[in-house]
Amino acid sequence: MKSSHESEKRSLPLALTINDHLQKNGDFLGLWNNTMDFDASRVPFYGLYWKGMRYLSNFLVRIDGFPLLPLFAATRFQDGHTPSPFHRHHRLLGPSISNFMTDSPHPSIVVDGPLLIDRGRFCFSNGMVEELTIHNHGPLAIHVPVSLTLHADFLDIMDIRGIRNPVPEHIVKKTFSHLSNTLTLSCMGFDHVERTTTIIVGNLDVDWREEALAGLLALPPHQARTIRVHIVCDEKTDMARKRGR
């Protein structure tokens, strides 16, 4: 039997550090690190929440298999207007441009330097839109492997914080459509509410493999390309099951 001290310790409020970032708009809440990635297996309270439930517990961007490194965080000003409190912008470093990224017969002239990444995120009342802009400062066209690791556990924030006994692990259904570049994560809760997280990737053709959306981004010399990721949280009550309880 656990002592009252242990029970009290489990229900302590969450404490954020300078490396944690929080964004909120209405019922939507996001918690992530200073690269804008999040992994709940490493930091238990990270994720995307809607109406008190976690709709995405992992979102990791990898460029050529490497994580991004933070440079600085900033909120962009446009036309002299105060920036939106629901928008966040980070500048990051990707991996170095390598000979493996180009089909040029003269790979020796590839500039050896890191890719520059701009990562912008706008939160709305039931989701967010992310823009991932990758800059090629080299003189050759390159092809960059990009992957987005995604996972949802659909846990209640009360369970995550340890305020009550955790429920059994949810069964999450994953459906991917090549036609629309869309991944849908869905779960029927014990309250007979089906919750779904829909992820739509724009400007990059992707496949779903090994828990990640992965594709190859073509970058012309001295140019940039933007990948847009649209994430929407939704719920639908199964009234027939609810009446049958």
Side-chain angles (χ1 to χ4, degrees):
M1 180 180 294
K2 293 184 178 179
S3 67
S4 59
H5 175 72
E6 288 176 319
S7 299
E8 183 181 345
K9 186 176 181 180
R10 280 171 53 83
S11 61
L12 286 175
L14 302 177
L16 303 183
T17 72
I18 58 172
N19 294 318
D20 303 319
H21 297 271
L22 182 150
Q23 269 184 273
K24 190 178 188 304
N25 188 347
D27 290 327
F28 182 81
L29 171 71
L31 279 163
W32 43 72
N33 65 18
N34 52 9
T35 68
M36 302 178 86
D37 275 353
F38 52 87
D39 182 354
S41 67
R42 296 176 62 87
V43 182
F45 54 82
Y46 273 3
L48 300 185
Y49 297 83
W50 185 54
K51 295 184 177 181
M53 303 290 291
R54 182 157 63 190
Y55 277 71
L56 208 60
S57 51
N58 285 51
F59 185 18
L60 305 174
V61 173
R62 296 293 180 263
I63 307 294
D64 198 25
F66 293 93
L68 305 180
L69 300 176
L71 278 178
F72 60 84
T75 305
R76 288 178 173 171
F77 288 79
Q78 293 183 349
D79 302 324
H81 296 290
T82 302
S84 167
F86 308 123
H87 181 266
R88 188 78 179 174
H89 168 243
H90 284 219
R91 177 152 284 186
L92 309 152
L93 286 179
S96 293
I97 299 173
S98 71
N99 294 344
F100 299 105
M101 296 180 182
T102 180
D103 298 325
S104 170
H106 305 290
S108 60
I109 65 171
V110 173
V111 174
D112 182 18
L115 292 166
L116 188 64
I117 317 293
D118 281 305
R119 194 170 185 179
R121 186 170 285 174
F122 182 84
C123 295
F124 49 94
S125 59
N126 68 324
M128 70 178 196
V129 176
E130 171 153 325
E131 291 186 341
L132 190 71
T133 302
I134 304 175
H135 303 262
N136 174 19
H137 53 266
L140 298 178
I142 59 175
H143 294 82
V144 182
V146 179
S147 68
L148 313 173
T149 300
L150 299 151
H151 180 68
D153 55 17
F154 294 100
L155 288 179
D156 190 293
I157 195 169
M158 304 286 277
D159 299 324
I160 294 167
R161 293 184 60 186
I163 293 176
R164 65 186 182 196
N165 293 329
V167 297
E169 185 175 350
H170 294 300
I171 298 174
V172 178
K173 181 181 178 182
K174 303 167 185 177
T175 307
F176 176 68
S177 168
H178 283 93
L179 186 63
S180 59
N181 257 10
T182 300
L183 173 68
T184 303
L185 308 174
S186 60
C187 171
M188 178 62 73
F190 298 104
D191 54 358
H192 304 291
V193 176
E194 183 182 26
R195 295 176 173 86
T196 59
T197 307
T198 304
I199 302 104
I200 306 169
V201 180
N203 303 332
L204 178 70
D205 291 328
V206 294
D207 291 313
W208 173 248
R209 54 179 182 266
E210 298 179 358
E211 301 298 312
L213 294 171
L216 199 61
L217 181 67
L219 284 170
H222 305 297
Q223 293 190 39
R225 290 289 183 268
T226 298
I227 301 167
R228 183 171 287 104
V229 183
H230 198 149
I231 299 175
V232 179
C233 308
D234 199 6
E235 64 179 12
K236 180 175 63 177
T237 303
D238 188 331
M239 296 305 297
R241 289 190 181 186
K242 194 169 185 177
R243 284 193 295 266
R245 284 195 298 181

